[in-house]
Amino acid sequence: MRKSVLLPAAAVAGGVVGLVVRRVYLANGFEAGTGLPIAGAPSLWAMAIVTVVVLGLLVALSCGKHKNYTQCYTGAFYSEHTVCIAGMLAGAVLLGVGGFLALANWFSSPSLGLMEKPLRRELSVTWLYLGIFCLLAAAGIYFVTQKMRQKEPILTAWAAMPTLAGCLWVVANYYDHWAEEPVLGHYAIPMLATGLSMLGCMMIGAMGFDKARISTTLAFSLSGASVCIMALADGLNWANTAILLGMVFYQLSMASALIANDDRAPGLPACAAHCKQCHGCAPMGTLKKNKKKAKKKTNESGK
């Protein structure tokens, strides 16, 4: 079986096993009356062992010798497989749905008081920002996917949007759920899922900024997707559930494409026809410098 299929399949299988164990722990690892964790509960140890084993296995599978990608996002994530492209677009749709639901949650939350400003609501304003950036992340994934399908360079600003959405996802849940929750066991897996997904998106986006770390990108992406599947056991609200599923599809599809391109024989990237005048793949802030260097070389050659 190809690694581009084996590794995402391992992440999904590990996530499903973790989901089942997590459900058992949530049902049997806490006292019925107080909701406090039962010390030394077998389900707690089972959940911890499964999580560590799954993450350790995914990290081990991600390590190894990889290609050296330099300023070529399309060369790393371009795919001709319909399933892979569909997964990326499914991630975009689900993140968009999660963004709309996050906005709806914030707008529908009650105000803190009659004398308060309209924007002061019971739900943290970070949910408003989360909704906006999830919609931008969905648009970014869509535009980047379309550019790669057309074998054209991508705009690095769009590639960074899922990372920003991931940051706000962590902050929004912290302010409205985790900060006031005294029992770590109630939110440990969702917290781990959001954190790993944010790092996975950050490493994927970094590929467009001349910061290619193949092993790290695969480890965070596969681990984030796997733990997101585990976190579905917690029965989170619809906005969080849609974002979790969006991260699963997005990270697994990008990881699969990266593995396939990494295993392929060395050669020109899919967007090679645009390499001489590639504005999109240049790291942000360096495009003007690149133009000046190109003009300088042209003048020198003319002389």
Side-chain angles (χ1 to χ4, degrees):
M1 184 182 293
R2 294 175 301 176
K3 286 180 64 177
S4 59
V5 177
L6 177 62
L7 267 67
V12 172
V16 171
V17 172
L19 184 152
V20 174
V21 175
R22 175 72 174 167
R23 287 298 300 171
V24 173
Y25 170 65
L26 292 174
N28 302 290
F30 300 92
E31 296 179 1
T34 63
L36 296 175
I38 300 173
S43 56
L44 171 61
W45 286 106
M47 185 186 69
I49 291 171
V50 167
T51 303
V52 171
V53 169
V54 169
L55 295 183
L57 176 63
L58 293 175
V59 170
L61 291 173
S62 302
C63 294
K65 188 176 181 180
H66 301 286
K67 286 182 182 177
N68 182 24
Y69 291 97
T70 305
Q71 293 182 227
C72 190
Y73 188 98
T74 303
F77 295 110
Y78 172 77
S79 178
E80 295 180 345
H81 297 288
T82 305
V83 174
C84 197
I85 296 171
M88 295 177 190
L89 295 177
V93 171
L94 287 164
L95 283 174
V97 171
F100 277 118
L101 292 174
L103 289 174
N105 285 350
W106 187 80
F107 280 113
S108 62
S109 64
S111 299
L112 291 175
L114 295 176
M115 302 302 293
E116 297 289 346
K117 295 179 180 180
L119 292 181
R120 291 295 304 279
R121 296 181 180 277
E122 190 176 82
L123 199 63
S124 170
V125 72
T126 53
W127 282 92
L128 172 64
Y129 303 142
L130 173 61
I132 293 171
F133 275 94
C134 276
L135 293 175
L136 289 174
I141 295 170
Y142 173 77
F143 289 133
V144 167
T145 302
Q146 292 304 315
K147 282 291 185 182
M148 290 195 296
R149 289 180 65 188
Q150 296 165 8
K151 299 182 180 181
E152 295 179 359
I154 60 98
L155 181 64
T156 48
W158 284 122
M161 286 302 162
T163 305
L164 297 176
C167 292
L168 285 163
W169 190 26
V170 173
V171 174
N173 277 285
Y174 173 79
Y175 280 126
D176 287 301
H177 301 297
W178 305 336
E180 298 179 358
E181 174 59 64
V183 181
L184 179 62
H186 285 157
Y187 64 90
I189 294 299
M191 181 175 66
L192 183 61
T194 54
L196 288 174
S197 295
M198 179 188 69
L199 292 172
C201 290
M202 181 180 72
M203 296 308 301
I204 291 171
M207 297 288 286
F209 296 86
D210 196 17
K211 301 293 182 182
R213 301 289 184 272
I214 308 301
S215 295
T216 308
T217 302
L218 290 176
F220 279 129
S221 299
L222 294 171
S223 299
S226 187
V227 182
C228 280
I229 295 173
M230 295 183 192
L232 293 173
D234 287 59
L236 303 175
N237 60 32
W238 286 109
N240 270 314
T241 301
I243 298 173
L244 282 171
L245 290 172
M247 288 294 184
V248 170
F249 279 99
Y250 174 61
Q251 292 183 112
L252 288 181
S253 300
M254 297 299 277
S256 178
L258 180 58
I259 295 166
N261 288 317
D262 188 51
D263 289 340
R264 191 173 291 119
L268 293 174
C271 57
H274 303 273
C275 284
K276 292 182 179 179
Q277 298 176 335
C278 182
H279 295 182
C281 289
M284 296 178 75
T286 65
L287 183 55
K288 293 181 180 179
K289 295 178 182 178
N290 291 342
K291 285 183 176 179
K292 289 180 181 178
K293 288 181 180 179
K295 287 182 180 179
K296 187 176 180 182
K297 287 182 179 179
T298 303
N299 294 333
E300 289 177 354
S301 62
K303 292 178 181 178

